[in-house]
Amino acid sequence: MDTVSAGFEDKDRYDRQRRITWVDQDAIRSSNVLVAGAGALGNEVVKNLVLAGFKRITVVDMDDIVLSNLNRCMFFTDSDVKKGMKSEIVAERASLLAPDVEIVPIVGRIQDVDIEGFDIALGCLDNILARMDLNATTCYYGIPYIDGATDGMRGKVHVILPGRPCLQCVSNRTHVKTMETRHTCTGNSSFTPHLASDVTTTAIVAAMQVRETMKIISGHPELCITNVTYYDGTLCDMFTVEADIDPTCPNHGRES
Ligand SMILES: [Zn+2]
C-alpha cells in the first residue's frame, strides 16, 4: 500500500480516488452523464458525481422547490421555496463543488429530452411513468441506466446494461396497475404521490447509483450489481436479486 511521506505534494484533487485500482479518472472526467430528476436523489447524485470528478452533467427536472423538499436536499434553502426551479438550483450550487464542472440544467420532462449521445443515465425519478419512459429510451440507444428509488426507509438500485433485464422486465402487475390508475385519475403523467422520504435512505441509494456509474464509466461493468439491490434502513439490511430478461419485454429487440 502506498504511504504518504513527509513533504508529500498535494497536487491532485483525485489522488485518493485514483488509488482505487479500478477507477479510471480520465474516463470519469470525459464522460457525458444524464441525471433525470433533481429532487432528493438528484441532489445527492449530482453532489456525488461532481465530487467524484464527473465534469459533464445534464440534470433534468420540471418542478420548482417546495418546503417539504428541504429535509433531504442539500442544495436547496428556505429562500428557494416557491422561487427556484430544482434543476437550475442544483446546477448552480453543485458547480461550486469543483472547478471546470459543466452542469446543464433542463427545466422540463425527461420524456421530452433527446438522450442520444449520453454515456450513462441515472434515474432519480419519483413517478413510474417517467422511469419506464427513460428505461425504454436508454434500452433503445444502448445507454446504461442506473435507476434509483426510495420509499420511506426502503430503497433500491437497478443497474440496467445492454443485454440485461430492464425495469419493464422486472415490473409486476402492481406497477402496471399503478400507472394505469394515475393516468386514469389525473390524465397527467407528472402526478406524484407524497411518499415518506428521509435523507439517510436517499443518501445511501444515491451513493450506490454513483458508485455503479463509476464502475461502468471506468470500464468495469462486471463489478456492477446484478441486477437489483434492495435496502431496508429500518432493519439495516441489504440484498441483491438476480433477474431474467422477460422474453415478452419489447425493450430488447435490438439485442437479439
Ligand atoms: Zn426488459
Side-chain angles (χ1 to χ4, degrees):
M1 180 179 292
D2 294 336
T3 56
V4 179
S5 58
F8 170 76
E9 291 186 273
D10 188 18
K11 292 182 176 177
D12 182 2
R13 186 182 192 93
Y14 304 104
D15 172 74
R16 302 295 288 270
Q17 189 166 286
R18 290 184 201 274
R19 293 167 188 253
I20 299 169
T21 55
W22 53 261
V23 165
D24 184 338
Q25 199 65 43
D26 293 337
I28 287 173
R29 180 181 175 83
S30 62
S31 62
N32 191 11
V33 181
L34 174 66
V35 178
L41 281 176
N43 268 252
E44 284 288 324
V45 156
V46 173
K47 177 262 287 180
N48 290 339
L49 287 171
V50 172
L51 291 180
F54 289 87
K55 295 290 184 185
R56 299 166 63 201
I57 302 167
T58 297
V59 58
V60 183
D61 199 296
M62 66 186 292
D63 290 330
D64 60 356
I65 296 163
V66 298
L67 183 62
S68 61
N69 296 144
L70 301 187
N71 75 321
R72 59 200 185 283
C73 296
M74 66 171 294
F75 293 122
F76 301 161
T77 66
D78 287 272
S79 61
D80 300 320
V81 173
K82 294 294 184 184
K83 295 176 183 172
M85 301 307 292
K86 289 179 178 177
S87 61
E88 293 177 336
I89 296 294
V90 166
E92 174 190 324
R93 301 202 178 134
S95 296
L96 302 174
L97 297 177
D100 304 325
V101 64
E102 302 167 10
I103 308 179
V104 177
I106 295 177
V107 178
R109 303 189 320 153
I110 189 63
Q111 293 95 319
D112 299 327
V113 175
D114 180 5
I115 70 164
E116 189 173 11
F118 285 100
D119 296 310
I120 195 164
L122 290 89
C124 305
L125 299 160
D126 56 8
N127 78 83
I128 294 172
L129 275 173
R131 293 167 67 211
M132 285 300 184
D133 186 273
L134 184 56
N135 172 69
T137 51
T138 50
C139 284
Y140 180 82
Y141 288 114
I143 299 170
Y145 175 38
I146 315 295
D147 182 72
T150 67
D151 181 2
M153 283 279 167
R154 296 181 300 169
K156 71 170 183 175
V157 176
H158 185 166
V159 176
I160 302 157
L161 296 165
R164 292 198 189 177
C166 73
L167 277 189
Q168 190 162 337
C169 288
V170 302
S171 291
N172 58 33
R173 293 183 61 82
T174 303
H175 283 122
V176 176
K177 194 172 181 179
T178 302
M179 280 196 293
E180 290 172 347
T181 302
R182 287 181 193 170
H183 193 72
T184 301
C185 292
T186 67
N188 179 357
S189 63
S190 67
F191 171 72
T192 304
H194 287 160
L195 299 173
S197 187
D198 89 302
V199 69
T200 65
T201 306
T202 298
I204 287 169
V205 169
M208 291 169 62
Q209 287 181 273
V210 174
R211 189 174 55 218
E212 299 308 293
T213 300
M214 292 168 63
K215 293 173 183 174
I216 292 167
I217 296 300
S218 294
H220 288 281
E222 78 280 3
L223 300 176
C224 284
I225 292 168
T226 306
N227 302 94
V228 189
T229 292
Y230 293 89
Y231 169 74
D232 185 329
T234 301
L235 301 175
C236 289
D237 191 20
M238 188 179 288
F239 60 94
T240 299
V241 175
E242 284 193 41
D244 296 315
I245 290 180
D246 181 345
T248 68
C249 178
N251 294 324
H252 304 282
R254 285 187 149 203
E255 298 159 358
S256 59

